[in-house]
Amino acid sequence: MWKYIGTKECNEFLLSLNLFKCQDQKKYIKTLYSIANNIEKNYNIYKIKKRNGKYRTIYEPYPLLKHIQKKILTNILNNKAISKYAKGYHKGISLKDNAIPHINKEIILKLDIKDFFESIAFNHIYNSCFAIEYFPKSVGMLLTYLCTYDDHLTQGSPTSAYISNLVMKEFDEELGNWCENNNISYTRYSDDMTFSGHFNPSDIIFKVRKMLHKLNLNLNNDKIHIINKSASQSVTGIIVNEKIQVNIKYRQRIRQEIYYIQKYGLKSHLTKCHINIDEKKYLNILYGKIIYILQINDCDSEFQKYKQIILDLKKAL
């Protein structure tokens, strides 16, 4: 379809995407190519410490690039279908949807893809998202450059998560169909894969390893977890043994905070616990945690009560 179009037509196509506001058409085109050709100069790169003591590198795009990426996400990527087995980073899908298929199962197997975003390479991104079937080649290549850093996805870009779902679509479909044929439930939330049912875990591990190899991806051997029904079965932080419920420690921390607020008063609680944020911000954070629990289980009367307590406190400020 795009075989015989020239530079003029490609530029008109780019203009039609309206990736940022610019009245000067030549400047619009020049800016896009300038950013793509100097992509490493358009990110703020920093590290944040993880719970295990290691560090995660965050690539935060500068404002214009971030705006462009958001436009690519909303105007292009969100129109492409992902697999039904992908349960993250899509409107209308939540952690709850990732947990529900695994309720009350004999065995849960959790696998993790090593260095997920960093291992998703330029050619897979181009072929899955911006290939010549839908875009002139030069436009597709430009869009791919605008969504990558050093030819791979980054943690911090608005487009990375959805692109990863598109890259993994064929993988998810093939693996999901195989699991269904073997009476196994399968979901994937970003780099976390979960399997549940009655099966031999080594069979799944072997198959997944082989399938990932085709995408130049690898399993994280340190994050292979097999959980029997006799233990607490958790899927992306949600307990699924008999019904979905947020982790008990998470619930207990909130319960304790509410207790201290009611016993000492909000201001004294913050002082005693050395919480150095203003009252309004603290209440908003606590409210968000309570809402998360109610999203998982909206019939939880205890946390419905806590929700009202926080709302009353917010009104009183």
Side-chain angles (χ1 to χ4, degrees):
M1 178 178 176
W2 307 108
K3 190 173 180 181
Y4 301 107
I5 74 166
T7 302
K8 180 184 176 183
E9 290 79 10
C10 286
N11 287 343
E12 287 175 352
F13 191 100
L14 276 173
L15 287 164
S16 72
L17 295 177
N18 192 28
L19 297 177
F20 69 97
K21 289 183 179 180
C22 182
Q23 298 300 321
D24 187 329
Q25 295 185 353
K26 287 185 179 179
K27 184 178 179 182
Y28 172 91
I29 300 296
K30 185 178 179 181
T31 299
L32 289 177
Y33 278 99
S34 176
I35 292 173
N37 291 331
N38 299 277
I39 201 71
E40 70 282 354
K41 296 179 181 178
N42 284 274
Y43 281 90
N44 176 31
I45 303 172
Y46 57 93
K47 294 182 182 293
I48 58 173
K49 197 170 185 178
K50 298 192 288 186
R51 276 185 273 182
N52 62 8
K54 295 181 180 179
Y55 287 85
R56 176 181 286 113
T57 302
I58 302 297
Y59 298 78
E60 183 181 4
Y62 287 162
L64 180 54
L65 176 57
K66 192 171 188 176
H67 177 84
I68 291 168
Q69 289 176 346
K70 284 182 176 179
K71 283 286 188 179
I72 293 172
L73 177 64
T74 55
N75 295 349
I76 300 172
L77 298 174
N78 279 342
N79 296 321
K80 296 177 179 289
I82 63 173
S83 170
K84 66 179 182 179
Y85 303 103
K87 302 297 183 180
Y89 310 115
H90 185 51
K91 191 175 181 180
I93 296 177
S94 68
L95 287 172
K96 184 176 179 178
D97 297 294
N98 189 51
I100 287 172
H102 307 292
I103 296 172
N104 198 24
K105 297 294 180 67
E106 194 68 29
I107 300 172
I108 285 181
L109 169 66
K110 298 199 290 187
L111 303 177
D112 179 86
I113 303 171
K114 187 176 182 181
D115 301 326
F116 184 47
F117 281 178
E118 295 85 348
S119 299
I120 295 179
F122 187 96
N123 62 315
H124 289 307
I125 298 164
Y126 172 77
N127 290 328
S128 300
C129 305
F130 308 113
I132 200 164
E133 289 92 339
Y134 305 102
F135 300 93
K137 186 171 182 180
S138 62
V139 173
M141 295 290 281
L142 173 65
L143 293 171
T144 307
Y145 277 115
L146 289 169
C147 294
T148 57
Y149 180 96
D150 195 20
D151 294 343
H152 62 75
L153 291 183
T154 66
Q155 295 196 48
S157 294
T159 47
S160 289
Y162 203 83
I163 285 175
S164 71
N165 281 336
L166 294 170
V167 170
M168 296 295 288
K169 185 180 179 182
E170 287 187 18
F171 171 94
D172 286 333
E173 290 299 312
E174 181 182 342
L175 183 57
N177 289 334
W178 179 84
C179 285
E180 284 190 15
N181 289 335
N182 288 277
N183 201 27
I184 299 167
S185 295
Y186 162 66
T187 61
R188 181 182 58 80
Y189 190 95
S190 188
D191 54 354
D192 294 320
M193 293 176 286
T194 305
F195 305 83
S196 63
H198 189 72
F199 50 80
N200 183 347
S202 61
D203 292 341
I204 295 176
I205 294 169
F206 177 80
K207 182 168 185 65
V208 170
R209 221 184 270 281
K210 189 176 178 181
M211 289 179 64
L212 286 175
H213 182 72
K214 295 176 185 177
L215 291 169
N216 292 318
L217 298 174
N218 296 291
L219 279 183
N220 186 337
N221 293 324
D222 296 329
K223 291 187 176 181
I224 296 175
H225 300 292
I226 301 167
I227 313 170
N228 293 313
K229 197 172 183 180
S230 57
S232 177
Q233 295 176 320
S234 172
V235 176
T236 45
I238 300 172
I239 305 301
V240 295
N241 287 72
E242 295 179 0
K243 62 179 182 178
I244 54 172
Q245 186 67 276
V246 176
N247 183 290
I248 190 168
K249 289 183 180 178
Y250 189 91
R251 291 164 57 84
Q252 284 176 340
R253 283 196 296 269
I254 295 172
R255 192 177 287 123
Q256 186 179 56
E257 288 188 76
I258 296 291
Y259 171 77
Y260 286 146
I261 289 170
Q262 291 187 309
K263 183 174 181 178
Y264 301 114
L266 177 59
K267 195 167 187 177
S268 295
H269 162 58
L270 295 179
T271 303
K272 284 176 180 290
C273 294
H274 307 289
I275 300 172
N276 298 315
I277 56 176
D278 66 67
E279 296 175 16
K280 186 176 180 180
K281 187 174 182 180
Y282 169 77
L283 289 176
N284 285 337
I285 293 170
L286 188 53
Y287 182 78
K289 292 177 179 178
I290 293 168
I291 291 298
Y292 165 65
I293 288 173
L294 291 173
Q295 284 174 342
I296 304 304
N297 182 4
D298 57 4
C299 296
D300 193 319
S301 59
E302 178 188 4
F303 282 83
Q304 286 174 345
K305 181 176 140 187
Y306 295 161
K307 175 186 173 183
Q308 190 58 52
I309 289 170
I310 299 302
L311 287 173
D312 291 342
L313 286 167
K314 287 171 74 172
K315 285 179 184 177
L317 287 180

